Amino acid sequence: MQRTKSMPRRVPTMAAFGLLLAVVFMSAAARAETPDPFVRPPDLEKDVRFWIRVYTEVTTDQGLLHDDWNLGLVYEVLRFDPGTSPAYRERRVADAKARYTALLKRFAAGSADNLNPHELRILHAFGDKATPRDFRDAIDRIRFQLGQADRFHEGLIRAALWERQIASTLTQHGVPAEIAALPHVESSFNLEAYSKVGAAGLWQFMPSTARRFMRVDRVVDERMDPYTATEAAANLMLYNYRLLGTWPLAVTAYNHGPGGLRRAQEELGTSDIAVIVKRFQGATFGFASRNFYVAFLAALEVDRNADKYFGPIARLPDTDSVVVELPDYIAVEALSKAFKVDMGALRVLNPALRPPIWNGSRLVPRGYRLRLPGTLPRAEIAAAWERLPPAQRYLAQRNDGSHKIRRGETLAGIAAASGVTLNRLLAANGWGADHTVARGETVRIPPPATRAEGAGAASAAVAAVVPVAPVNATEASATEAAPESPPESAPVPAPKEPVSQRQTESAALLPAAAPTGNGDTTDYGVGSGDTVTVQAAETLGHYADWLRVSSQVLRTLNKLHKNAMVTLGHKVKLDFSKVTPEQFEATRREYHQHLQEDYFAGHRIAGTENYSVKRGDSLWIIAQQHGDLPVWLVTQYNPDVDFGDVRPGTVITLPQVAAINRQ
């Protein structure tokens, strides 16, 4: 506050000075007492200790036979000779389960005579009030957990490679720093981790979830890039947090999906992670989902106190790289030669590029952020572009050489998508300008045009390409490349080369420990009275098609005149004379799944922004004015907002969407 002429100067007294010190100390204490975003409830402590034991005491040549509900009850530590086959280990586990099944049956029958100390320990673990049913129920809960101590130790060594980058990214997104420990649970910081269910990379994204935030196709799989995948993980965590309101639930949703956790909140009337873990009985909320948060807490504890559990860790050194954004499609071999970077080193720095790039059947796509060694001088990078002749820089992706005509396609459209002129396409097939084609006919596609053949001046593009700031800090694009071709949305296959057991198991600290669901928390179920709540992108015609009845039947049932439209958020009564509610729900979900998959084949979520609703705004107007967003995507980010009655001044969250060039 600025002193005015009417304010006399005051000399601080000792009392005032003491008060000032008290305020300072109180502020410091208040900061010290700031709630930890990741609570560790006493009711979950024994579960956390179980996972700490798994991560620090039991190796992958050992495992714990335990009760899958009461993790404090460990029946036995099984030990295997190194190199024994999976089949042999499975037999050992099955034999051990059979032994303890027999023991629990004895307890259920009331037979507790001649027990050895080990058997007595198990009996006492059930308490003095255990009933025969308690013992019988425990039989189905006997579970085996493979140890992870050696793998966790390896992960601690590898983690140093990306710790700085991960910390920077999380900070920039406003995500708690503790989330940096999550890859210990997901992949042991193994970039090549590829699970049996299709999750991949450091953060173990499933393809459906990943496509919301990054490019995943046959040419580029950004799940394998630790930098891009970390950005995606931060955005996913923020999305979960905004929907669920607490970080423990946001972490759990990383495995289970936010929709299931919102149902848990509604059913139990709480956001308490301990209550939800112990009481929620969702159909898919199994062992992995129940234990994901406590496993994360255990990994966080071990990561913070690595020397305590493993002694001094010889961590790998952090590495720097520099990024350039490609203005054209270029063969990776040409890039290697131009930048004078060994192909092996280039492959290590760019793990998102898939095999078709490395075997030469596809080009590194335009707009791709190529990583180069950080030691490469900027002047050398600029000179490298001069060594790339226009004849090696293509205007479109390399094609397969032929294309079968699909419904609605034209030769002009095929030519544009293939990066060739219509005249060149016609000439390659020996056709005249008046030639027509039929669906199913095969068209020969000539190679895409190069800069030397195209109309654009190569020198202009060369001058625009400069290296971006060194990575592990915030990266800015050197150029902007707009997508001009349709996306390549074919499903991503698992690697053709055999995946090693270590690669597969590295993602299996918990079963299916990967982001599941597609981020859609919408309730597509049929409610009481055979009614549904209208969701975005749905019409009365959709309902009629899914129900196999006419629209007029539904209009009559809902007393709607012939021009009336159903509106978002309203209830509509349905006619189930031709299909069951279950069939209707399945068709409805499939429709929305395809709708979202089609959109994310060419777009990704890069962040969010807050928007204050103005007078005259509607959901449609807001979506149109902010990047032509799909209405359904806006509603997904604001599931608790009634857009039929939204008031001026209401703050909503809008996703920031970027187009992806997937050729």
Side-chain angles (χ1 to χ4, degrees), residues 111-135:
S111 174
D113 298 331
N114 302 317
L115 298 179
N116 61 39
H118 176 67
E119 294 167 336
L120 280 172
R121 176 186 67 81
I122 295 172
L123 177 62
H124 293 158
F126 283 86
D128 297 334
K129 298 181 180 180
T131 65
R133 181 174 179 177
D134 292 333
F135 295 117

Side-chain angles (χ1 to χ4, degrees), residues 635-658:
T635 61
Q636 283 183 13
Y637 270 78
N638 302 274
D640 299 318
V641 175
D642 180 2
F643 283 100
D645 189 32
V646 66
R647 305 296 175 86
T650 302
V651 178
I652 63 175
T653 301
L654 295 176
Q656 295 175 320
V657 174

Side-chain angles (χ1 to χ4, degrees), residues 71-86:
L71 299 188
L73 174 54
V74 174
Y75 293 103
E76 184 180 342
V77 179
L78 297 179
R79 294 176 172 82
F80 311 104
D81 293 331
T84 51
S85 69

Side-chain angles (χ1 to χ4, degrees), residues 491-553:
V492 180
K496 290 184 179 179
E497 59 272 16
V499 179
S500 68
Q501 183 178 358
R502 177 168 297 276
Q503 285 178 313
T504 300
E505 291 182 350
S506 65
L509 307 193
L510 282 170
T516 58
N518 62 4
D520 186 357
T521 62
T522 308
D523 182 6
Y524 295 119
V526 177
S528 59
D530 289 343
T531 62
V532 294
T533 301
V534 179
Q535 303 298 342
E538 293 182 344
T539 66
L540 203 66
H542 285 120
Y543 298 153
D545 287 343
W546 301 338
L547 292 165
R548 300 177 192 169
V549 299
S550 69
S551 296
Q552 187 56 47
V553 168

Side-chain angles (χ1 to χ4, degrees), residues 71 105 126 204 218 296 308 343 404 427 438 454 509:
L71 299 188
K105 287 180 177 179
F126 283 86
Q204 286 292 280
R218 292 179 180 272
F296 163 73
K308 168 186 171 183
M343 286 281 279
K404 184 172 287 188
L509 307 193

Side-chain angles (χ1 to χ4, degrees), residues 507-634:
L509 307 193
L510 282 170
T516 58
N518 62 4
D520 186 357
T521 62
T522 308
D523 182 6
Y524 295 119
V526 177
S528 59
D530 289 343
T531 62
V532 294
T533 301
V534 179
Q535 303 298 342
E538 293 182 344
T539 66
L540 203 66
H542 285 120
Y543 298 153
D545 287 343
W546 301 338
L547 292 165
R548 300 177 192 169
V549 299
S550 69
S551 296
Q552 187 56 47
V553 168
L554 296 183
R555 290 187 184 280
T556 302
L557 190 61
N558 289 276
K559 299 179 181 179
L560 298 172
H561 63 74
K562 64 178 182 179
N563 294 322
M565 299 174 63
V566 295
T567 55
L568 183 68
H570 287 196
K571 287 190 180 298
V572 174
K573 187 172 180 60
L574 305 179
D575 181 325
F576 288 107
S577 59
K578 301 291 180 63
V579 302
T580 66
E582 292 76 19
Q583 290 172 322
F584 173 86
E585 290 176 1
T587 305
R588 190 186 190 195
R589 288 193 180 94
E590 184 179 12
Y591 163 74
H592 284 280
Q593 180 180 345
H594 288 321
L595 195 71
Q596 295 169 35
E597 287 177 352
D598 287 346
Y599 182 76
F600 288 117
H603 302 82
R604 68 177 177 86
I605 297 170
T608 59
E609 61 178 311
N610 292 331
Y611 174 75
S612 180
V613 176
K614 299 178 177 60
R615 187 177 302 278
D617 274 346
S618 67
L619 174 57
W620 185 85
I621 290 174
I622 293 170
Q624 290 292 308
Q625 292 180 346
H626 290 79
D628 197 17
L629 295 171
V631 168
W632 54 262
L633 185 57
V634 177

Side-chain angles (χ1 to χ4, degrees), residues 6 20 43 148 160 191-192 220 233 235 252 273 297 315 330 363 381 398 416 418 430 498 514 551 573 589 603 647:
S6 62
L20 178 62
D43 288 349
Q148 300 292 326
L191 286 188
E192 298 179 349
V220 175
N235 280 319
T252 307
I273 185 63
L297 290 180
R315 298 175 182 267
I330 306 172
L363 305 170
I381 291 174
R398 185 171 287 163
S418 303
S551 296
K573 187 172 180 60
R589 288 193 180 94
H603 302 82
R647 305 296 175 86

